[in-house]
Amino acid sequence: MKRLLLAIETSCDETSAAVIAEDLTVLSNVVSSQIDLHERFGGVVPEVASRAHLTQLLPVVDVALRDAGVTLSQLAAVAVVTHPGLVGSLLVGLTAAKTLALTLGLPLVAVNHIEGHIYACRLHAGRDVFPAIGLVVSGGHTNLYDCPSALGFELLGSTIDDAAGEAFDKVAAMLGLGYPGGPVVQKAAEYGNPQAYKFPRSFLKEERLEFSFSGLKTSVLYEIAGKPPRDYDPKEIPRQRVSDLAASFQAAVVDVLVAKCRQALRAKGRRTLCVGGGVAANAVLRTALGAMAEREQIDLVIAPLALCTDNAAMSAVAWEMLATGQTAALDVDVTAGLVRKR
Ligand code: KG4
Ligand code: ZN
């Protein structure tokens, strides 16, 4: 009988639970999204998110166990995302995980959400993908890592202001396209000209492995509403102009992400690139990364959509942690930032 672990993920606005076997087979991966709850606010409201996790988590765990065809007594460990994320949301998952670990007498593993996004590529590939460069592009993060092995990732650089997904969300709001921004901007961009507007590509020609999307977002606003921006009704922007703005914005984000991945690969001499996070669902980004990987003869691993966005299965990295004795004490706490407090 394979050993099984239950993974719990509540770091942002998805309540998720998964059952994963030691050989990394995913027996179930249940995700309950809160998008409908946050849509009318144009972004995730932390208090609303934690309250929704409270009502959703136990039913989601139940379904995950049922889908996997197992009971709590068959589990060998409990993994939970403890950082980074929204503190109130993380606390819901951690409290549930601690309770299960304590009552069942199981080891508890504290997983880093961002490292999980990269590990999703390992899960998808079904083979070792390390050493690699890892890019995590989500609503909250745009981080480049050097990943010599499955554990011990080194942060090479991140965004100095907005995350790439956040920029998608804000530009979507400016264009009146709705929330979350990524999919709707991508859709509008299908009918647009990516060269219609010349938007800035921060640090493109510089060696630093950092990102900045705030200036790009402001440039889109100035293009729509003038400088200084006047009040405007997004519904009055002509459809073609919306599409051209969306396509030109998306092209700027994609150019920067691809260039920085190439730079990191060269700087660290890595031959594999793993990309995760919600923005990795973007079709134009996927195509551009694929073309770069071919030119540079790089092995590109991007998880399928269901594993790119937040889900508990990516916490499968907990098996690697267990194998090296990295369990957490029952007084482990959540951390909003990237690095877990000891
Ligand atoms: O990783 P994720 O599910 O949640 C966290 O932020 O951790 O990522 C969500 C982000 C949102 O900002 C959303 O707009 C973006 O991923 N996103 C996309 C696409 N689908 C989702 N961005 C660009 N293109 C997409 N197709
Ligand atoms: Zn995420």
Side-chain angles (χ1 to χ4, degrees):
M1 175 74 186
K2 287 187 244 175
R3 294 205 301 155
L4 305 172
L5 73 72
L6 172 72
I8 291 176
E9 153 74 56
T10 60
S11 65
C12 189
D13 61 338
E14 324 281 355
T15 315
S16 182
V19 177
I20 310 145
E22 196 170 14
D23 64 1
L24 300 183
T25 314
V26 178
L27 276 69
S28 64
N29 188 20
V30 179
V31 181
S32 163
S33 170
Q34 303 175 5
I35 283 180
D36 314 356
L37 293 177
H38 302 288
E39 200 170 10
R40 67 194 163 109
F41 302 106
V44 178
V45 183
E47 187 60 18
V48 173
S50 29
R51 281 171 191 273
H53 286 307
L54 268 181
T55 55
Q56 287 306 302
L57 184 55
L58 293 183
V60 163
V61 168
D62 264 349
V63 177
L65 292 168
R66 214 173 326 133
D67 280 4
V70 301
T71 58
L72 286 173
S73 62
Q74 289 169 270
L75 298 175
V78 180
V80 61
V81 167
T82 53
H83 63 294
L86 302 170
V87 165
S89 292
L90 288 164
L91 273 173
V92 177
L94 179 59
T95 308
K98 278 181 180 177
T99 311
L100 285 169
L102 179 67
T103 50
L104 299 168
L106 298 177
L108 180 70
V109 189
V111 174
N112 176 319
H113 176 81
I114 306 297
E115 296 184 2
H117 270 305
I118 295 174
Y119 202 78
C121 296
R122 158 73 184 89
L123 209 54
H124 162 63
R127 61 182 159 85
D128 194 7
V129 293
F130 304 107
I133 291 295
L135 171 72
V136 178
V137 258
S138 68
H141 298 273
T142 307
N143 294 357
L144 262 174
Y145 289 87
D146 184 35
C147 314
S149 60
L151 296 174
F153 297 171
E154 179 202 351
L155 182 63
L156 298 174
S158 55
T159 178
I160 59 164
D161 41 54
D162 292 353
E166 191 181 353
F168 268 95
D169 294 337
K170 289 178 177 168
V171 166
M174 288 176 201
L175 293 172
L177 292 172
Y179 173 85
V184 282
V185 168
Q186 180 183 318
K187 183 89 193 121
E190 277 174 25
Y191 310 98
N193 173 6
Q195 275 142 19
Y197 302 96
K198 280 230 160 326
F199 289 134
R201 283 139 168 89
S202 296
F203 312 147
L204 192 66
K205 301 268 186 282
E206 294 174 43
E207 265 182 42
R208 59 203 279 197
L209 293 172
E210 285 182 312
F211 304 90
S212 165
F213 296 107
S214 174
L216 167 60
K217 175 193 68 186
T218 309
S219 297
V220 176
L221 179 65
Y222 288 165
E223 187 56 52
I224 299 170
K227 186 179 172 185
R230 52 180 163 67
D231 284 345
Y232 70 96
D233 180 354
K235 288 197 222 64
E236 281 167 13
I237 310 173
R239 287 262 295 268
Q240 190 55 48
R241 186 160 147 77
V242 168
S243 288
D244 288 344
L245 286 162
S248 302
F249 158 78
Q250 181 175 254
V253 176
V254 168
D255 277 359
V256 172
L257 292 175
V258 174
K260 292 294 158 189
C261 285
R262 189 181 54 224
Q263 250 177 279
L265 286 158
R266 285 182 180 175
K268 290 289 171 182
R270 301 294 187 209
R271 311 296 314 156
T272 303
L273 175 64
C274 294
V275 186
V279 183
N282 187 275
V284 175
L285 176 62
R286 283 172 173 253
T287 306
L289 284 170
M292 182 272 284
E294 209 175 309
R295 274 195 313 273
E296 303 275 318
Q297 297 190 315
I298 293 297
D299 183 13
L300 172 66
V301 189
I302 313 184
L305 301 196
L307 283 178
C308 274
T309 45
D310 290 352
N311 68 90
M314 64 194 200
S315 291
V317 68
W319 277 121
E320 309 266 359
M321 298 174 73
L322 272 169
T324 51
Q326 296 182 47
T327 54
L330 281 175
D331 64 353
V332 64
D333 207 347
V334 301
T335 316
L338 269 182
V339 182
R340 178 152 77 87
K341 284 189 223 125
R342 299 277 157 196

